[in-house]
Amino acid sequence: MSSVVLFSSANKQGNTAQVVQALAQQVSLKVINLDELSITPYNYANQYPQDDFYPLVETLLSADNIIFASPIYWHCPTAQMKAFMDRMTELLDVSHLKPKARALANKRGFIISSSAQAEVCPIFESIFAKMYRYYDMSYQGNLHGDFSSGQANIDSNALLKFAQQLDAAKRPCNNATSITSI
Ligand SMILES: Cc1cc2nc3c(=O)[nH]c(=O)nc-3n(C[C@H](O)[C@H](O)[C@H](O)COP(=O)(O)O)c2cc1C
């Protein structure tokens, strides 16, 4: 099972990066820093200069597991990550790209988060769970880092379970591990 992490944070080596690094010690990951890519914001005309969006889509399509990794900023992912999520709408808008949106349906979606709370913010989690559902991907769960004390607090059982999920044989799953209601 191949896993791609789409990472974004105002701090490249900050708290969210620590959670990603902890996971990378357990399981093989391809980590892509969205902040180092050029992703033109979505526009209704779907006219874009050459940028990194289409190659990134191909990378996602080559993976079994897609993991969005972001700190929780005001209950949301980073602005760069949201810009990428908005741009994904192009796959639904433009007829020759629609097969790529449909190809995402076989993928499994995960989230990595970090915040100053013990648990992932339900608003943050529901943004991704709903996005995955829109693409008919199966949302599998969240790995959260609690930095409320200023130090990393990553539940070691949750970390191992998350790593095992990434390596588990692909099977349909509509039950997320931590989402409560959307
Ligand atoms: C702009 C901003 C907004 C934040 N909003 C929240 C929030 O809504 N809820 C929360 O628990 N923590 C919030 N925090 C704290 C961060 O989520 C937390 O420090 C996180 O671990 C930072 O990760 P990073 O080092 O990858 O940026 C916020 C921090 C910043 C800088």
Side-chain angles (χ1 to χ4, degrees), residues 7-11 14-17 71-76 114-117 145 147:
F7 168 84
S8 176
S9 169
N11 187 347
N15 298 346
T16 312
I72 299 176
Y73 291 161
W74 297 110
H75 315 287
C76 295
S114 80
S115 77
Q117 300 288 328
F147 289 81

Side-chain angles (χ1 to χ4, degrees), residues 33-63:
N33 188 342
L34 275 178
D35 306 323
E36 291 175 351
L37 300 182
S38 168
I39 306 287
T40 311
Y42 174 80
N43 63 70
Y44 279 99
N46 282 305
Q47 298 294 321
Y48 304 99
Q50 188 171 354
D51 65 8
D52 295 316
F53 179 71
Y54 301 127
L56 182 53
V57 169
E58 294 308 320
T59 301
L60 297 187
L61 291 177
S62 71

